[in-house]
Amino acid sequence: MSDPVSPQLAHLIDGYRRFRRTGWTPRVERWRELGEGQNPRVMVIACSDSRVDPAQIFDTDPGEMFVVRNVAAMVPPFETAPGHHGVSAALEFAVQVLKVDEIIVLGHGMCGGCQAALTQRLHGAEPGQGGFIADWIALLDEARGPVIAAHGTHGPAAERAMELAGVRTSLANLRTFPCIATKEARGTLRLTGAFFAISDGVLHLLDQQTGEFNPVA
Ligand SMILES: [Zn+2]
């Protein structure tokens, strides 16, 4: 007897069968090539939020982007303290082994992680009860100061400012990794800040000269 399938899993399996029929089978040659190895030219760091799927937003195929998703699309600074540095391991692989040409940090609208960073409502929570999130989004504490000074801790303007500040923070932290800073200085690696909200469906790119996010025409 096989395990019972939940309605949620059944829904995903329906999607898998559709993909096999319309996405996989017609392009089996391409997938066989990918079976030999991957050579993505871009790394994307995005939020785990269900509304911001990089492959959908950029309409890419398997093999095109190396993606890390986590709460609030954060990159921690370069740290050598003991611990399990998941983002740093992925960065190391993308930059040193795959040798990607571009890293994009993709923030998004209505980000719960950024909102929690703003309100600090999980401050002091136990691990497993919000404490892991609180610790993770403490990466935004420094960026939070100017945001709350300008907009307070609640409301759409404060939230958007925090979301955009999160992208800038992750970019700044990327540059604390020596291998990334070196490659960027040499011109062999580009760092890009981006922002997308499903509500208006508009991608914004950070102009690193002005610090402004501008919509992509
Ligand atoms: Zn988010």
Side-chain angles (χ1 to χ4, degrees):
M1 213 179 101
S2 55
D3 290 337
V5 172
S6 68
Q8 291 78 11
L9 180 56
H11 176 68
L12 296 185
I13 289 173
D14 284 348
Y16 158 72
R17 291 192 175 121
R18 208 161 47 238
F19 166 67
R20 284 279 302 188
R21 204 170 52 242
T22 63
W24 195 84
T25 306
R27 299 183 60 196
V28 68
E29 285 311 313
R30 170 65 180 142
W31 311 141
R32 291 231 166 90
E33 253 172 61
L34 278 181
E36 311 284 309
Q38 61 167 338
N39 185 30
R41 305 320 309 141
V42 178
M43 178 180 191
V44 178
I45 295 154
C47 185
S48 299
D49 191 289
S50 61
R51 298 163 292 186
V52 58
D53 177 359
Q56 183 183 43
I57 294 166
F58 297 118
D59 193 22
T60 55
D61 275 339
E64 291 191 70
M65 296 189 301
F66 188 78
V67 178
V68 168
R69 296 178 71 176
N70 62 44
V71 172
M74 292 312 301
V75 175
F78 181 79
E79 286 174 334
T80 54
H84 300 297
H85 300 287
V87 177
S88 305
L91 279 170
E92 200 171 60
F93 189 72
V95 171
Q96 303 289 54
V97 180
L98 297 172
K99 297 183 166 53
V100 296
D101 305 310
E102 175 114 23
I103 302 177
I104 299 170
V105 176
L106 178 63
H108 75 102
M110 300 295 285
C111 182
C114 288
Q115 195 193 46
L118 193 60
T119 60
Q120 294 196 331
R121 68 189 160 80
L122 297 171
H123 201 77
E126 291 295 319
Q129 307 295 328
F132 286 121
I133 300 172
D135 182 60
W136 179 246
I137 59 177
L139 288 167
L140 289 168
D141 279 356
E142 218 177 287
R144 177 180 182 266
V147 171
I148 63 169
H151 305 284
T153 57
H154 289 81
E159 287 168 10
R160 180 56 55 93
M162 191 73 245
E163 290 155 2
L164 299 180
V167 174
R168 295 188 190 98
T169 299
S170 283
L171 285 173
N173 287 346
L174 278 172
R175 294 186 167 109
T176 66
F177 286 74
C179 61
I180 292 175
T182 305
K183 287 190 180 216
E184 189 184 27
R186 272 197 214 129
T188 55
L189 178 65
R190 272 179 54 90
L191 305 186
T192 295
F195 182 87
F196 177 83
I198 194 69
S199 53
D200 66 8
V202 179
L203 180 72
H204 289 71
L205 293 180
L206 173 63
D207 179 331
Q208 295 183 66
Q209 303 301 319
T210 65
E212 297 294 317
F213 282 79
N214 301 313
V216 173

